[in-house]
Amino acid sequence: MLFNIWVTQDCNLSCKYCYEKKKRKRYMSLEEADAVIAFILKYQTDKTNQVNFHGGEPLLNWDVIEYIVKQINHSSLKKGRFRFSFTTNGILLTNDVLRFSKENDVLISVSIDGKPETHNKNRVDMSGKDTYHMVEECLRRLDESGINYEIRMTYNAKTISELACNVKFLLENFNCSCLRWAPDYFDCGWNEEKVQIFIKQYRSIMEYQKKLKKEQAEKIAVLNIDNFNKLGRCCGGITEMNIDTGGDLYPCTFACGKEAFLIGNIKDGPDIERINRVYGTMQKSYPRCETCQNKDYCIGNRCKMINYMEDTCCGNTYIENLCRLSNAEITLLREQWML
């Protein structure tokens, strides 16, 4: 079971591509955390349970993260294995956070978009100032600590031409265990010209990967054959629960806060009728995807939240961008692995 816990909706940065445009000064309290812990222990599996702390910037509410990890790890009601993780912009990654994370095997993922000039185009603080130097300091301390950590990049139409050199920069300057990247699908700047640049950048990364030693090459998660699988049906609300700061339950991070996808709360538990209704929607097929050879690998076909977002949030921009970029990426991976 995967539990995503939104410990805060607040953030200390003002990234230009952030999909959480409306930041609310809402923080989960320790009392609310007790209810979350009780819910998790009730609905845990006897195998592996993943608990991911989400935001906003989750480290703004570090006391609650630390409390939840301690309480679950020491609970007599724990049946299965628990893994903990959080994604952070790195600015609040103190020595105390590093020590606790290392002692409790908490996976840390740090958001950085590459070289200083690329990172600072989008990832700025509340006053619009650059943040690269602060994130770099965080990564240096992570390297010195010996903690395994991941790097997560975001690119958009303005920075796609720098993707390959940013991948190379990060791998050669930091000792992360894994490097992932993802596009900003909401960027209105994507067009066919930018997609062709995307394809050239991917091919450049593929060539670079072939020259690396195996240990380094395998850090590039996006191009790893083990991550190229048929996606299957979405099971949000069944094998995944998202708990917002107020204790409401949603099937996925994109759905959080959207009334149409509310599936219960931690006090009363999941609402089976609502889950069945949402799950039924998730299983519907897109007519536009039926003839696509990549439909079984594409998140656009799997995720029915996209239709909701297309109809209510951003017109056709998101779905068209996702279709273009996903098809290009899947086609390139088929070429690389001759699938």
Side-chain angles (χ1 to χ4, degrees):
M1 178 67 82
L2 168 61
F3 300 95
N4 282 318
I5 307 173
W6 294 61
V7 293
T8 181
Q9 291 171 287
D10 197 7
C11 191
N12 53 350
L13 295 189
S14 185
C15 299
K16 296 175 183 178
Y17 50 54
C18 181
Y19 67 90
E20 298 174 44
K21 300 299 182 185
K22 296 181 180 179
K23 298 179 177 66
R24 294 190 290 170
K25 305 288 185 181
R26 180 71 175 85
Y27 290 75
M28 183 175 288
S29 67
L30 289 176
E31 290 74 18
E32 290 166 328
D34 278 327
V36 170
I37 293 164
F39 175 85
I40 289 173
L41 292 173
K42 181 177 181 179
Y43 291 96
Q44 66 178 310
T45 69
D46 57 3
K47 296 181 180 178
T48 299
N49 301 277
Q50 178 70 40
V51 178
N52 180 51
F53 299 102
H54 199 69
E57 168 51 49
L59 293 188
L60 285 169
N61 204 3
W62 171 249
D63 288 348
V64 163
I65 294 175
E66 187 177 33
Y67 180 75
I68 291 174
V69 173
K70 285 181 177 178
Q71 292 300 311
I72 290 178
N73 276 342
H74 294 94
S75 174
S76 60
L77 299 177
K78 186 174 70 169
K79 295 185 295 185
R81 179 183 180 188
F82 276 84
R83 293 176 176 171
F84 301 93
S85 63
F86 62 83
T87 300
T88 175
N89 57 41
I91 293 172
L92 299 175
L93 205 57
T94 64
N95 289 332
D96 285 342
V97 173
L98 291 178
R99 175 191 53 75
F100 181 86
S101 298
K102 189 172 185 177
E103 290 174 354
N104 291 274
D105 198 25
V106 179
L107 175 64
I108 300 172
S109 179
V110 180
S111 297
I112 182 172
D113 290 349
K115 299 181 298 181
E117 53 268 37
T118 303
H119 179 91
N120 290 331
K121 284 181 180 178
N122 291 302
R123 299 191 67 81
V124 296
D125 65 17
M126 291 298 182
S127 60
K129 293 181 180 179
D130 298 345
T131 62
Y132 175 84
H133 63 288
M134 292 185 283
V135 184
E136 180 187 36
E137 182 184 343
C138 148
L139 293 175
R140 297 296 178 208
R141 284 191 287 113
L142 275 166
D143 285 340
E144 291 170 3
S145 71
I147 296 175
N148 285 333
Y149 68 93
E150 296 185 353
I151 283 178
R152 188 187 186 284
M153 297 171 55
T154 299
Y155 60 88
N156 59 16
K158 293 179 181 178
T159 62
I160 183 56
S161 61
E162 304 155 16
L163 180 62
C165 65
N166 283 322
V167 168
K168 183 177 180 181
F169 173 83
L170 292 173
L171 282 178
E172 293 180 357
N173 283 276
F174 304 106
N175 191 30
C176 63
S177 60
C178 182
L179 172 62
R180 307 179 189 276
W181 62 80
D184 171 17
Y185 292 115
F186 296 100
D187 185 358
C188 294
W190 288 112
N191 54 35
E192 192 53 41
E193 178 187 355
K194 295 293 184 180
V195 172
Q196 290 306 310
I197 294 173
F198 167 83
I199 291 171
K200 290 179 181 178
Q201 290 292 307
Y202 244 68
R203 289 201 167 112
S204 179
I205 296 170
M206 288 174 175
E207 290 304 310
Y208 170 66
Q209 186 186 36
K210 292 175 184 177
K211 299 175 183 177
L212 295 172
K213 292 181 179 180
K214 183 180 179 182
E215 182 182 346
Q216 281 290 93
E218 290 179 346
K219 290 182 179 182
I220 306 178
V222 182
L223 302 182
N224 193 322
I225 186 61
D226 293 334
N227 291 305
F228 187 66
N229 299 303
K230 290 186 177 182
L231 296 178
R233 293 182 174 182
C234 174
C235 292
I238 298 174
T239 60
E240 175 180 347
M241 289 285 179
N242 282 260
I243 307 169
D244 77 359
T245 50
D248 285 334
L249 302 175
Y250 296 90
C252 70
T253 54
F254 274 131
C256 263
K258 297 176 176 63
E259 179 65 28
F261 289 87
L262 177 68
I263 56 171
N265 59 71
I266 56 175
K267 180 181 178 181
D268 301 321
D271 185 319
I272 301 303
E273 185 178 335
R274 282 177 175 264
I275 289 177
N276 288 339
R277 186 164 63 247
V278 170
Y279 187 69
T281 301
M282 297 298 185
Q283 307 318 309
K284 292 179 180 178
S285 180
Y286 290 155
R288 64 186 293 165
C289 299
E290 282 303 311
T291 58
C292 178
Q293 67 168 338
N294 296 325
K295 68 175 184 177
D296 293 332
Y297 301 88
C298 178
I299 61 172
N301 180 52
R302 182 176 188 256
C303 177
K304 303 309 184 286
M305 272 298 298
I306 293 169
N307 260 4
Y308 173 83
M309 297 178 74
E310 179 183 0
D311 293 340
T312 63
C313 302
C314 53
N316 293 319
T317 300
Y318 184 84
I319 188 70
E320 292 299 334
N321 288 345
L322 191 146
C323 185
R324 285 196 196 107
L325 293 169
S326 292
N327 272 287
E329 181 177 314
I330 293 167
T331 299
L332 286 165
L333 287 170
R334 286 183 185 278
E335 286 179 12
Q336 183 184 22
W337 300 104
M338 294 180 289
L339 299 172

